[in-house]
Amino acid sequence: MSERAALVLAARDTIAQGSQSFAAASKLFAPDTRERAWLLYAWCRAADDLTDGQELGHGAAPLADPAHAQAELERLTAAALDSDTPLPLPFEALRLVARETGMPRRFIEDHLAGFALDAAGWRPESEEDLLRYCYHVAGSVGCMMAVVMGVAADDQDTLDRACDLGLAFQLANIARDVVPDAQTGRCYLPAAWLREAGLGEADLADPAQRDAVARLAARLVELSRPYRHSARVGAARLPFRSRLAVLAADGIYGAIGEQVFALGPAAWDRRVRVSSAGKLGLLAGAALRSCTPPAPASRAGLWTRPRQS
């Protein structure tokens, strides 16, 4: 087995353990794209684990020295991009996918900046702050995945729409996890929203405040919808198999947000998930949308990622 093949197989195992939803969606990609998606995921998963004190997305625990973990992540990532020094598997995976795709370094560095915000205990003050954070932790990944799928690094509108899907995913995740996040001392809701609702961060974990928390979660889901619509326009420009995979992922993550919206105060009685049968139905819907033009969706008024070089 070649070194590349071994690296790809290890990355495949990482995604199988770290994200069942993404692993399922990745099977829809053409082989080269699928392998590169696995490689990119392996690095993203390792970066998240390193900074959250967890393993494959599970068992998160407060780090004794978050700044040291962030510095180590940045060191290993820079070594992957700037050298041929042997590195742990996830960073070898990043090196390979970056070289094979010509990945713009700015997207990698923007993603690292999201981990730096978490390491610093950052909190969003405004909706603008929230969307910028969502870009760093998820929108930048959307841009990287677009490059993996063959989008040119100078196709700004398609990259913006790939970013939009990442924003929508992250907003749905925040809505689903607002209560468990609060129970572990995390809050991604803008402080301005909390003040408007007459809540403090501690109130988010209080069952007596569940109605008010549900209204805030619904606001997140409502915020995500135009970004999902925009992303579908970008997805229509992709090769068929990539388009199908993206629309399937959109359906799954969108369904999570919409379940939170529909359940209201009951959304945190148990973790919101999409069943296997539900995923099959969403895949069928994605297949149908893949064969039909998307509804027009202007980006006017939507938050737009930074354009640094």
Side-chain angles (χ1 to χ4, degrees), residues 13 33 59 64 88 116-117 126 135 140 143 146 170 172 185-186 212 233 236 238 247 256 259 271 284 298-299 301:
D13 291 344
T33 302
L117 290 172
S126 64
Y135 165 67
S140 59
C143 292
Q170 189 62 25
R186 295 187 177 189
V233 174
L238 300 171
L247 291 175
I256 289 171
Q259 282 188 53
R271 185 171 174 81
S298 169
R299 291 203 73 260

Side-chain angles (χ1 to χ4, degrees), residues 109-184:
E109 292 179 344
D110 282 350
H111 192 46
L112 290 178
F115 297 114
L117 290 172
D118 281 334
W122 172 89
R123 296 288 194 271
E125 170 59 31
S126 64
E127 185 176 299
E128 166 82 13
D129 290 341
L130 168 63
L131 289 168
R132 184 173 295 275
Y133 173 78
C134 289
Y135 165 67
H136 284 299
V137 299
S140 59
V141 178
C143 292
M144 288 188 280
M145 279 298 302
V147 173
V148 164
M149 289 182 277
V151 175
D154 60 355
D155 185 349
Q156 301 293 355
D157 186 70
T158 303
L159 290 171
D160 284 342
R161 293 177 186 274
C163 173
D164 288 343
L165 190 58
L167 299 182
F169 285 2
Q170 189 62 25
L171 290 168
N173 282 339
I174 292 172
R176 176 178 63 180
D177 294 337
V178 61
V179 170
D181 279 343
Q183 291 169 341
T184 58

